[in-house]
Amino acid sequence: MLLMTGVLVFPAGAAAQQLCAVDLDGNGDAADEGETAACHLTASGGWMCPIGQTTCEADTAGALHCPLGDQYACEVPASGGAAACSANTCIDTSANPVVEDAALDDPGVEADGGVDADGNCLGTIEIFSGRAARCRPAGLSTTFQNCCKDKGKIVKDGMGGSISSISTKIAVAKGVFTGLKAAYTAFKAGATASQAASAGANAIIVGLDPTSIAISLAVNFMIEVLLQGCDQEDMEVGMLRGSGMCHEVGSYCSSKILGICVQKAKGHCCFNTKLGRIIQEQGRPQLKSFAEKGWGTAKKPYCRGFTAEEFQALDFSRMDLSEYYEEIEARAQSEIQIDMKDKIDAYLQTISN
């Protein structure tokens, strides 16, 4: 396994079928960097785990001994070099494949459900509903790239409170899902990361207010995560999480080999807006209906919205919404400064003519 520009690359052929996984830090898994590696072919046709590999020593008679114990064989690497040994065994992945959990792939609540002849909603109305999603930190399946790393604020919450503004906010979140799906699909079909990101950006901005998402940052974000080997759900959580729209529920093991965890994942509830996430976090503790399930489990996040009755029962005076208020105030001030600069520039241009 080679390390090229930060990406782990398994060599072609049989070498890719042998790996070792060792719990070095004693936390019960081998999902952290340096705890999983491809095994090296030896001159005798066997395999050696490079984790904890130690150079063998010769005694006075010239016989080689492993400093870790004579029960470990001294082997010469097929590529040449000094004889070495390792206490860690190799696993044949063709006989013992890595078992990976599927992505959570929660579509969330359908925005426009069925209605009766009078236009009344037939389903349950959910307010500030979310969708379960996961991202994966550095591990074997992500070639040890952190697909959960926040990439900054890309999606913006609107400042207005009208019905049209709320609809725009929901459309933005849907646009993110649509765009990242387009980018990932294009990349898997053979497009370059740049081409795929452009396809994703075009899908994101269709029908959206261009001020609601930083397209240039979105393009850079997509290129980076595609090159890191992150999947579509990693991308979705990465963009929304960095924009303050996801609540992290917890961590779980998403990939194992012979029962050894080699990849973790972080389960989230992601919402259409940052405000939705804040009200969910502040409101759920007030309601008995969430007392038992809470946020669910990391592997199965419980992301439903409030019913109309639950929402009416919320006491907003007990909520700390300062995180959202501070953001609005900061953005309003910056917008005022930009507006003033534009007016001054226009004035100077007028008097100079």
Side-chain angles (χ1 to χ4, degrees), residues 56-65:
C56 289
E57 299 172 347
D59 60 18
T60 54
L64 292 173
H65 297 273

Side-chain angles (χ1 to χ4, degrees), residues 129-339:
S129 63
R131 61 192 295 271
R134 66 96 177 98
C135 64
R136 296 170 297 171
L140 181 68
S141 300
T142 65
T143 60
F144 296 98
Q145 304 300 308
N146 184 4
C147 294
C148 286
K149 184 179 179 181
D150 292 346
K151 301 297 193 298
K153 188 174 180 61
I154 299 174
V155 185
K156 306 173 186 177
D157 253 336
M159 291 170 58
S162 65
I163 295 297
S164 61
S165 174
I166 294 172
S167 298
T168 299
K169 294 174 188 179
I170 294 175
V172 170
K174 286 179 177 264
V176 168
F177 300 141
T178 301
L180 296 184
K181 181 178 180 179
Y184 188 69
T185 301
F187 188 70
K188 296 297 285 185
T192 66
S194 179
Q195 291 169 337
S198 296
N202 290 334
I204 287 174
I205 62 177
V206 172
L208 294 184
D209 174 2
T211 64
S212 60
I213 187 166
I215 293 298
S216 61
L217 294 180
V219 169
N220 291 335
F221 164 81
M222 285 185 276
I223 291 174
E224 183 176 349
V225 296
L226 285 171
L227 289 174
Q228 286 180 341
C230 307
D231 67 15
Q232 181 186 331
E233 196 162 296
D234 289 320
M235 295 171 67
E236 292 172 0
V237 176
M239 185 177 289
L240 296 179
R241 172 186 164 120
S243 301
M245 299 163 73
C246 296
H247 173 88
E248 184 177 325
V249 179
S251 179
Y252 67 96
C253 181
S254 62
S255 299
K256 294 181 179 180
I257 184 168
L258 289 180
I260 304 169
C261 182
V262 292
Q263 176 68 61
K264 291 180 180 178
K266 294 182 179 181
H268 295 75
C269 284
C270 293
F271 300 91
N272 290 326
T273 65
K274 182 175 182 177
L275 181 61
R277 187 267 300 168
I278 294 171
I279 291 179
Q280 277 275 358
E281 290 177 341
Q282 298 282 327
R284 285 187 178 213
Q286 297 183 21
L287 301 171
K288 291 183 179 179
S289 49
F290 286 94
E292 183 177 350
K293 295 190 77 169
W295 289 95
T297 65
K299 198 170 184 177
K300 292 185 178 180
Y302 187 53
C303 305
R304 78 164 176 86
F306 301 119
T307 65
E309 293 75 18
E310 288 171 339
F311 191 72
Q312 290 174 348
L314 295 177
D315 183 354
F316 281 81
S317 68
R318 293 166 54 193
M319 294 186 188
D320 179 9
L321 304 178
S322 58
E323 179 185 353
Y324 190 68
Y325 294 150
E326 289 170 3
E327 179 178 302
I328 290 177
E329 290 172 2
R331 192 185 310 137
Q333 183 175 351
S334 66
E335 287 176 353
I336 289 170
Q337 291 173 347
I338 292 171
D339 187 53

